[in-house]
Amino acid sequence: MLDRQTFEDIFRAHHAACLAFAVHYTGNVHEAEEVVQQVFLRLWEKRAVIDITGATRSYLLAAIRNTAISNWRKETVRQQKEQAAGHLREADIHVQSPVWELERRYQQALELLPERCREVFILSRQQQLKYHEIAAVMNISVKTVENQMGKALKIMHKELKDYLPLILFL
C-alpha cells in the first residue's frame, strides 16, 4: 500500500525524469505532461493494490511508455474516424450538389416552356396522367397533347443535356 507521503516522495524524485522520458515518446511537451499526469493519477488511484518495491523508476517509465503508446493509438484511431467522416461529408456534398443543381436547372427549364406546353408536361410527368386524361382535363385533343409533350421533351432535353448522366442514375 502506498501512503500519501510515499506518493509525494516518489512524485518529487521521479517527476522530472518521467517528463523527459514522456517527451521522448510523445515529441510534445504538452502531451508528455498529460501522459505523466495520467500515470501518477493512476498510481494514486491504485495505491491500495500497487506494491512498488525497489525499481520505482523502471515501473514509472514502463507505465509512461505504455500510456504514451496507448494515447497515440487512440488518437490515431480518432483521426482516422474523423478523416473517414470528413470523406463521407465531402462525398455527400459532391453527390448532393449536382442533385440540387439539377433541381434548380429543372425548374428553370420548366419556366422556359410555353404555358400550355408546361401544363401538359406537368400533368404528364409530375401528375402522371395519361394523354387521354390530360386531353380531357385541358379540353384539347390527344394529338395536341402528343405535340405539346414532344415540344416539351425536346426543350427539356436541350436544357438538361449536361445532367442526363446524373438523371439516369437517380
Side-chain angles (χ1 to χ4, degrees), residues 2 6-19 32-47 50 52 56-57 59-61 63-64 67:
L2 194 63
T6 306
F7 176 80
E8 288 177 6
D9 291 343
I10 290 171
F11 182 84
R12 280 191 211 104
H14 300 287
H15 183 267
C18 288
L19 186 58
E33 289 172 346
E34 180 68 28
V35 168
V36 171
Q37 184 176 358
Q38 286 175 316
V39 168
F40 277 105
L41 179 62
R42 198 172 320 118
L43 179 64
W44 178 252
E45 289 171 343
K46 297 182 182 225
R47 67 187 177 278
I50 292 179
I52 305 175
T56 305
R57 180 172 283 193
Y59 172 85
L60 291 172
L61 296 181
I64 287 169
T67 302

Side-chain angles (χ1 to χ4, degrees), residues 107-164:
Q107 293 301 325
Q108 286 176 340
L110 272 178
E111 293 299 318
L112 292 175
L113 297 176
E115 188 176 342
R116 179 184 260 184
C117 194
R118 182 175 42 248
E119 288 177 46
V120 169
F121 183 82
I122 290 171
L123 289 172
S124 173
R125 298 299 193 219
Q126 293 178 1
Q127 304 296 320
Q128 298 183 348
L129 296 180
K130 295 182 177 16
Y131 285 7
H132 71 275
E133 294 171 324
I134 296 170
V137 167
M138 294 184 67
N139 199 25
I140 57 176
S141 71
V142 173
K143 189 67 175 166
T144 303
V145 172
E146 290 172 0
N147 289 337
Q148 293 297 316
M149 272 304 291
K151 187 176 183 180
L153 290 172
K154 189 175 184 179
I155 293 170
M156 294 299 280
H157 183 272
K158 178 183 167 201
E159 293 298 317
L160 300 173
K161 69 179 178 233
D162 295 337
Y163 295 90
L164 287 178

